[in-house]
Amino acid sequence: MGARHISFTPAKPLLASELNQSTLDAKYAVRGKIPIRADEIRNHIESNPNSHGLPYDRIISANIGNPQQLDQKPLTWYRQVLSLLQYPHILDKVDASVIHELFPKDVIERAKTILGSTGSMGAYSHSQGDSYVRKSVAKFISERDGYPADPQSIFLTGGASAAVQYLLQILSSDKNSGFLIPIPQYPLYTATIALNNAVPIGYFLDEANNWSTNPTQIRQLIHENNAKGINIKALVVINPGNPTGAILTKEDIKNIIDIAAEHGLVLIADEVYQENVFEGEFVSMKRVLSELNEQHPELYSNVQLASLHSTSKGVSGECGQRGGYMELVGFTEEVRQVVFKLASINLCSVVSGQALMELMVNPPKPGQESYEVYHAETSGIHSDLQGRSSSLYAAFNKMEDITCNKPMGAMYLFPRLNFTEESYPKLYKDSDDTGVVVDELYCVELLESTGICCVPGSGFGQVPDTYHLRTTFLPPGTEWIESWANFHKEFVKKYKG
Amino acid sequence: MGARHISFTPAKPLLASELNQSTLDAKYAVRGKIPIRADEIRNHIESNPNSHGLPYDRIISANIGNPQQLDQKPLTWYRQVLSLLQYPHILDKVDASVIHELFPKDVIERAKTILGSTGSMGAYSHSQGDSYVRKSVAKFISERDGYPADPQSIFLTGGASAAVQYLLQILSSDKNSGFLIPIPQYPLYTATIALNNAVPIGYFLDEANNWSTNPTQIRQLIHENNAKGINIKALVVINPGNPTGAILTKEDIKNIIDIAAEHGLVLIADEVYQENVFEGEFVSMKRVLSELNEQHPELYSNVQLASLHSTSKGVSGECGQRGGYMELVGFTEEVRQVVFKLASINLCSVVSGQALMELMVNPPKPGQESYEVYHAETSGIHSDLQGRSSSLYAAFNKMEDITCNKPMGAMYLFPRLNFTEESYPKLYKDSDDTGVVVDELYCVELLESTGICCVPGSGFGQVPDTYHLRTTFLPPGTEWIESWANFHKEFVKKYKG
């Protein structure tokens, strides 16, 4: 090596300021500043278990809907099949009687059926997803809605996030491409819009009316933005709502479809919380569109809908398994091919996640061997989640200067912090002095005082001069809720008046 | 519903021509036109098993390195642990003696260790990847290279593809951002460059010298492109080579690092085939950089290297499990944070894929219960792959007007079709008449005649007026090679002279 003749002036290392501006601009609060601080505290506690000097022993991660990070158990049905899919050879290793102690017959049959199509969890599947799984998804959709679904229109994706990214990427044709998104919204949308150099156009959900949509306001935004030269491409709907926890009425959905039909907007229906319903009824966008289309094909046959689902939510919350699907309705074959090409560049979504999606949309039926356990586990988790959401809702309603809509679905509450400048002058002074907005300041102090990690409303968007926060209701027990209530009293004492 | 007053003029549906131009421009030949035609034929055979009218009964998928789609068996070690990770409760269901028939002790211990860190396969991990897995990866790298690696610099990604996408996205600051890529290259690079509206700058690998790199040519390209106003951001190296199957010498690597150091180019080292070595030795870019840095820190301490690995290749080829990692070396913390933000927007890579990466970099050691089976399986697959590559190489060298470099690594051969216009006038006439380039025409006829699906060299890039194709050597048996040789004879007969 000494023999090489080297002579050059080394260049300077890359600065962040030289990077793609859109990657600098994108924000993702759910795993942003406050969760990053929570990680630091968690590491501090783990490194100093007996001398951390904090009034709490653990971080309560209420910033993200991640049930199995907390105490939620996976469904036996899912995991038994996934276990066999990874190691089917186990069936040959011990006697049939022993195998039957380990795996019910329907589990073994389903694993064989899935492997009959995928071959192995270790082989790339078709880029659009395994054909048997896509057929199962289509069957689920058609039974849910009473209208047919085509396996060719189903894409199996890595969670719903990958689907959102494909859609926003193909639709962002230039920097004047606009996307109508609800405010508050799940920040994946603003982040992905920023990464595609497109324009987010927020329509406000109406907090006073259970976070419903206002079609007049949406039409007004379309006119205003068209006049400014924005070419609006799509309208995003999150139902059940994240972060709001609200469920849209059928009337709301019809109004939205009318707007899409008239203005040629692609509808992106983020329906990942469709199983998480405590009050009211989830009606899919696909079903309402199909009904309208049946009655008025001259008006609705051109509507293009992409509806998204995920294995990360529901009662099971298998977030880490990265399963999801997107159904494309009404798109031209040409456009579908472009989505397919993007999926091809990614090769395929994880095959075990595809299998999990099949298990989710095609669960055991009454009479089948796994049914009882499946039914007991799913209804147990469902009522447990409902109970947790009610307890947290009740707790917020007892806190001074907090109001909260009754949770109908999803995994979140989005309470409002009614801290006016008049009543909380010290809070606004601190906010002005530090440049930290009011709701973020609340979340920072909540974290530092109690270890509870949630996300300020500013990360999701909110009506100007209103303040909220998003919290999941997933953490177990009531102790954390009590410590929140105590913190809140101190916070009000410190800043009010 | 009849009561609604509906009156609007429905808009036209979206045309592909209205989409983001970059998504229309991107090309990905590995799953492009010929593989899509192969899918059609496969469907035709499956739908008409007894009356398909073709001279073959199945498609031989030699277009993509997907070993488990063919006959390759997964490693028992991987699958036993993955099976337990999905359903650890199996350990409580039967007697210890039965469990021990099913799972060796080290499998059970490893599953417990991984679950001790991840909690569950169903929980989102840290966006950068589980901390225990990242520590294992860092240990693997430091033992491989003899230089330390930092778990904080490791990102666990969905295969290596996700890492390439993060890197190209952050580095593409405007439409004059350039990326030096080898020609021929794996088309993920050109596709991702197109999606980021950046400029691919191909440097030719030297076929006559075992596909080695030519530093003089790379420097020349840098000068030419800088003069044109292109801001070159990174230099991509694929080692072992895809599609070439070649392995770079240490001297080649040093020369590349010198260029990066002098011109401030990020080095992207795609080293996913590092276990697939039949001849010569794989030396990692990280190791060579560390050596240079130790001797001449004044020259090399600013070099920024991203090196990529994957669970999809190696002897196991667990493509469908989507595991991978990226190590960032020499990047500023600011830049690392931007990569982290992109990873956060994707939440996390699939957790079972992260676990698989751990099993790959930290396999059973001599004396451990799983070692013998692991060793027997991995060496069996390795020598089997080596045998297949040699047989195919020998077959190509017997074919008229085909030359092929000796395969050293990876999963591919990239033979050259020496069909000159002088010798093959009919072929060029057909090519002119149909607008299908010569190598594509060869691949189309090969597919239609034999069912063998491979990819024309034009999908990877090649020196103008040369023609190649990429084929994996993964399909089992020799019958397909014979049918290829017979096809080739007919092709030469049809077109030569």
Side-chain angles (χ1 to χ4, degrees):
Chain A
M1 213 126 114
R4 293 171 76 231
H5 295 280
I6 323 167
S7 75
F8 58 82
T9 312
K12 295 258 176 303
L14 190 68
L15 301 175
S17 58
E18 298 170 79
L19 300 182
N20 180 341
Q21 189 62 38
S22 72
T23 63
L24 300 176
D25 292 343
K27 285 190 177 56
Y28 189 65
V30 171
R31 293 204 158 190
K33 190 175 147 186
I34 290 174
I36 287 170
R37 172 67 189 139
D39 270 348
E40 289 170 7
I41 299 175
R42 183 182 288 114
N43 289 340
H44 171 74
I45 294 173
E46 280 169 13
S47 309
N48 307 280
N50 301 315
S51 57
H52 53 68
L54 294 167
Y56 46 88
D57 279 320
R58 53 175 270 188
I59 293 293
I60 307 277
S61 299
N63 58 304
I64 190 164
N66 191 8
Q68 293 188 33
Q69 184 193 29
L70 302 163
D71 70 338
Q72 193 174 301
K73 298 282 169 294
L75 299 178
T76 302
W77 159 249
Y78 288 178
R79 295 309 193 88
Q80 285 183 325
V81 180
L82 287 173
S83 178
L84 274 184
L85 290 175
Q86 289 289 3
Y87 188 48
H89 191 53
I90 199 171
L91 298 177
D92 314 322
K93 292 198 80 171
V94 282
D95 289 350
S97 63
V98 177
I99 285 299
H100 200 224
E101 279 180 66
L102 296 173
F103 299 106
K105 277 190 195 121
D106 52 351
V107 162
I108 296 172
E109 276 164 27
R110 185 66 62 86
K112 286 181 176 169
T113 305
I114 292 172
L115 285 174
S117 184
T118 61
S120 164
M121 292 297 104
Y124 291 126
S125 71
H126 189 280
S127 293
Q128 204 174 328
D130 176 74
S131 61
Y132 166 73
V133 177
R134 284 189 284 125
K135 276 177 206 152
S136 260
V137 169
K139 186 161 175 280
F140 158 76
I141 295 171
S142 63
E143 287 171 1
R144 181 194 65 189
D145 295 336
Y147 290 91
D150 178 4
Q152 267 290 92
S153 303
I154 311 289
F155 283 75
L156 302 177
T157 53
S161 303
V164 171
Q165 289 174 26
Y166 293 152
L167 293 166
L168 268 57
Q169 187 167 18
I170 66 162
L171 293 172
S172 297
S173 54
D174 61 34
K175 65 185 174 37
N176 292 317
S177 300
F179 292 89
L180 279 159
I181 54 171
I183 296 294
Q185 52 102 35
Y186 175 53
L188 170 65
Y189 292 96
T190 38
T192 312
I193 291 168
L195 289 175
N196 284 289
N197 293 303
V199 182
I201 305 168
Y203 63 90
F204 288 114
L205 302 176
D206 184 359
E207 184 166 12
N209 284 301
N210 246 328
W211 299 109
S212 60
T213 53
N214 176 346
T216 312
Q217 187 210 4
I218 296 176
R219 287 177 192 277
Q220 179 64 26
L221 284 167
I222 293 172
H223 292 300
E224 281 170 23
N225 281 277
N226 283 345
K228 283 195 279 184
I230 303 298
N231 186 356
I232 305 179
K233 301 290 187 165
L235 196 169
V236 175
V237 176
I238 309 174
N239 181 41
N242 176 4
T244 63
I247 295 179
L248 294 181
T249 64
K250 209 166 162 180
E251 203 53 36
D252 275 341
I253 297 173
K254 280 183 197 165
N255 288 330
I256 289 166
I257 294 173
D258 281 354
I259 294 172
E262 182 175 352
H263 294 280
L265 308 183
V266 169
L267 278 173
I268 300 177
D270 179 338
E271 301 178 327
V272 300
Y273 294 98
Q274 61 189 270
E275 282 187 7
N276 300 84
V277 175
F278 306 129
E279 191 156 320
E281 187 200 2
F282 167 75
V283 184
S284 77
M285 184 81 76
K286 167 82 181 292
R287 179 174 143 199
V288 182
L289 174 59
S290 302
E291 286 177 11
L292 291 172
N293 222 336
E294 201 168 50
Q295 294 171 25
H296 298 286
E298 75 287 1
L299 291 178
Y300 297 104
S301 62
N302 285 348
V303 175
Q304 294 147 105
L305 163 67
S307 68
L308 318 180
H309 200 2
S310 165
T311 58
S312 303
K313 310 303 166 187
V315 294
S316 58
E318 292 274 15
C319 305
Q321 310 260 16
R322 314 308 292 125
Y325 79 72
M326 160 166 73
E327 184 191 15
L328 294 180
V329 181
F331 286 82
T332 65
E333 173 59 16
E334 265 188 338
V335 173
R336 197 191 68 84
Q337 286 290 349
V338 180
V339 178
F340 177 71
K341 184 169 59 180
L342 293 187
S344 298
I345 295 171
N346 286 319
L347 296 163
C348 68
S349 65
V350 60
V351 177
S352 53
Q354 297 182 26
L356 181 60
M357 181 49 88
E358 206 280 330
L359 302 175
M360 178 170 166
V361 297
N362 185 15
K365 291 180 183 48
Q368 291 176 339
E369 204 176 334
S370 295
Y371 178 75
E372 275 185 38
V373 169
Y374 175 81
H375 181 69
E377 289 178 349
T378 50
S379 31
I381 297 171
H382 191 271
S383 71
D384 188 33
L385 292 177
Q386 184 154 24
R388 291 183 195 192
S389 80
S390 302
S391 309
L392 190 58
Y393 168 64
F396 282 133
N397 279 337
K398 281 189 206 145
M399 293 185 200
E400 189 174 345
D401 295 328
I402 285 197
T403 49
C404 185
N405 279 331
K406 190 155 186 230
M408 302 171 74
M411 293 183 170
Y412 314 100
L413 294 183
F414 197 66
R416 179 167 172 173
L417 309 174
N418 299 302
F419 303 149
T420 60
E421 189 157 7
E422 207 165 44
S423 306
Y424 288 78
K426 289 178 227 159
L427 180 59
Y428 281 76
K429 185 172 181 312
D430 271 19
S431 168
D432 284 346
D433 290 351
T434 56
V436 177
V437 286
V438 166
D439 49 6
E440 186 170 336
L441 208 149
Y442 183 91
C443 291
V444 168
E445 294 200 10
L446 176 67
L447 171 64
E448 298 289 347
S449 307
T450 65
I452 299 169
C453 177
C454 59
V455 190
S458 46
F460 304 90
Q462 49 200 347
V463 170
D465 301 322
T466 69
Y467 299 104
H468 300 76
L469 59 84
R470 188 188 83 165
T471 174
T472 72
F473 45 73
L474 303 174
T478 52
E479 207 182 314
W480 71 287
I481 302 179
E482 282 162 35
S483 86
W484 190 328
N486 290 333
F487 159 80
H488 187 76
K489 273 182 206 149
E490 294 300 316
F491 188 89
V492 171
K493 200 186 287 175
K494 180 173 168 188
Y495 287 112
K496 194 169 186 177
Chain B
M1 214 121 117
R4 294 171 75 228
H5 293 282
I6 324 168
S7 75
F8 59 81
T9 313
K12 295 260 174 301
L14 190 68
L15 301 175
S17 57
E18 298 170 80
L19 300 182
N20 179 341
Q21 189 61 38
S22 72
T23 64
L24 301 175
D25 292 342
K27 284 191 176 55
Y28 189 65
V30 170
R31 292 203 159 190
K33 191 175 146 186
I34 290 174
I36 288 171
R37 172 67 189 140
D39 269 347
E40 289 170 7
I41 299 174
R42 182 183 288 114
N43 289 340
H44 170 74
I45 294 173
E46 280 170 11
S47 310
N48 308 280
N50 302 314
S51 58
H52 53 67
L54 294 167
Y56 47 89
D57 280 320
R58 54 175 271 188
I59 293 293
I60 307 277
S61 298
N63 58 305
I64 190 164
N66 191 8
Q68 294 188 31
Q69 185 194 29
L70 302 163
D71 70 338
Q72 193 174 303
K73 298 280 168 295
L75 300 179
T76 302
W77 158 250
Y78 289 177
R79 296 308 193 88
Q80 285 183 325
V81 180
L82 287 173
S83 177
L84 273 186
L85 290 176
Q86 289 290 3
Y87 188 49
H89 190 53
I90 200 171
L91 298 178
D92 314 322
K93 292 198 78 171
V94 282
D95 290 348
S97 63
V98 177
I99 284 300
H100 200 224
E101 278 181 67
L102 297 172
F103 299 107
K105 277 191 194 120
D106 52 352
V107 163
I108 296 172
E109 276 164 27
R110 186 66 62 86
K112 286 182 177 170
T113 304
I114 292 173
L115 286 174
S117 184
T118 61
S120 164
M121 292 298 102
Y124 290 127
S125 71
H126 189 281
S127 293
Q128 205 174 329
D130 176 74
S131 61
Y132 167 72
V133 177
R134 284 189 283 126
K135 276 178 205 151
S136 261
V137 169
K139 186 160 176 279
F140 158 76
I141 295 170
S142 63
E143 287 171 1
R144 181 194 66 190
D145 295 337
Y147 291 92
D150 177 5
Q152 267 288 93
S153 303
I154 311 289
F155 283 75
L156 302 177
T157 54
S161 303
V164 171
Q165 289 175 25
Y166 293 152
L167 291 167
L168 269 55
Q169 189 167 17
I170 65 161
L171 292 172
S172 297
S173 55
D174 62 34
K175 65 184 174 36
N176 291 318
S177 300
F179 292 89
L180 279 159
I181 53 172
I183 296 295
Q185 53 102 34
Y186 175 52
L188 169 65
Y189 292 96
T190 38
T192 311
I193 291 168
L195 290 175
N196 284 288
N197 293 301
V199 182
I201 305 167
Y203 63 90
F204 288 114
L205 302 176
D206 184 359
E207 184 165 12
N209 284 300
N210 246 328
W211 298 109
S212 60
T213 53
N214 177 345
T216 313
Q217 187 210 4
I218 296 176
R219 287 178 192 277
Q220 179 65 26
L221 284 167
I222 292 172
H223 291 301
E224 280 171 23
N225 281 278
N226 283 345
K228 282 195 279 184
I230 303 298
N231 186 356
I232 305 179
K233 301 289 187 167
L235 195 169
V236 175
V237 175
I238 309 175
N239 180 41
N242 177 3
T244 63
I247 294 179
L248 294 181
T249 63
K250 209 167 164 182
E251 203 53 37
D252 275 340
I253 297 174
K254 280 182 197 165
N255 288 329
I256 288 165
I257 294 174
D258 281 355
I259 294 172
E262 182 176 353
H263 294 281
L265 308 183
V266 169
L267 279 172
I268 299 177
D270 179 336
E271 300 178 327
V272 301
Y273 294 97
Q274 61 188 269
E275 282 187 7
N276 300 85
V277 175
F278 307 128
E279 189 155 323
E281 187 200 3
F282 167 76
V283 183
S284 76
M285 184 81 76
K286 167 82 180 293
R287 179 175 142 198
V288 181
L289 174 59
S290 302
E291 285 176 10
L292 291 173
N293 221 336
E294 200 168 50
Q295 295 171 25
H296 297 286
E298 75 288 0
L299 290 178
Y300 296 104
S301 61
N302 284 348
V303 175
Q304 294 148 103
L305 163 67
S307 67
L308 318 180
H309 200 2
S310 166
T311 58
S312 302
K313 309 302 164 187
V315 294
S316 59
E318 291 274 14
C319 305
Q321 310 260 16
R322 313 310 291 127
Y325 79 71
M326 160 167 73
E327 184 191 15
L328 294 181
V329 180
F331 286 83
T332 65
E333 173 59 16
E334 265 188 337
V335 173
R336 196 192 69 84
Q337 286 290 349
V338 180
V339 178
F340 177 70
K341 185 169 59 181
L342 294 187
S344 297
I345 295 170
N346 285 318
L347 296 164
C348 68
S349 65
V350 60
V351 178
S352 52
Q354 297 182 26
L356 181 59
M357 181 48 88
E358 206 280 331
L359 302 175
M360 178 171 168
V361 297
N362 185 15
K365 291 177 184 50
Q368 291 176 340
E369 203 175 335
S370 294
Y371 179 74
E372 275 185 39
V373 170
Y374 175 81
H375 181 69
E377 289 177 350
T378 49
S379 32
I381 297 171
H382 191 272
S383 71
D384 188 33
L385 292 177
Q386 183 153 24
R388 291 183 195 193
S389 79
S390 301
S391 309
L392 190 58
Y393 168 64
F396 282 133
N397 280 336
K398 281 188 207 145
M399 292 184 200
E400 189 174 345
D401 295 328
I402 284 198
T403 49
C404 185
N405 279 332
K406 191 155 186 229
M408 302 171 73
M411 293 184 169
Y412 314 100
L413 295 182
F414 197 66
R416 179 166 172 174
L417 310 173
N418 300 301
F419 303 150
T420 61
E421 188 157 9
E422 207 165 46
S423 306
Y424 288 78
K426 289 177 226 157
L427 179 59
Y428 282 77
K429 186 172 181 310
D430 271 20
S431 168
D432 285 346
D433 290 350
T434 56
V436 178
V437 286
V438 166
D439 49 7
E440 186 171 336
L441 208 150
Y442 183 91
C443 291
V444 168
E445 294 201 10
L446 175 67
L447 172 65
E448 298 289 346
S449 308
T450 65
I452 299 169
C453 177
C454 57
V455 190
S458 46
F460 304 89
Q462 50 201 348
V463 170
D465 301 322
T466 70
Y467 300 103
H468 299 77
L469 59 83
R470 188 188 83 165
T471 175
T472 73
F473 45 73
L474 303 173
T478 53
E479 207 182 314
W480 70 287
I481 301 180
E482 282 162 33
S483 87
W484 191 328
N486 291 333
F487 159 79
H488 188 77
K489 274 181 207 151
E490 294 301 316
F491 188 90
V492 171
K493 200 186 288 176
K494 180 174 169 189
Y495 288 113
K496 194 169 186 176

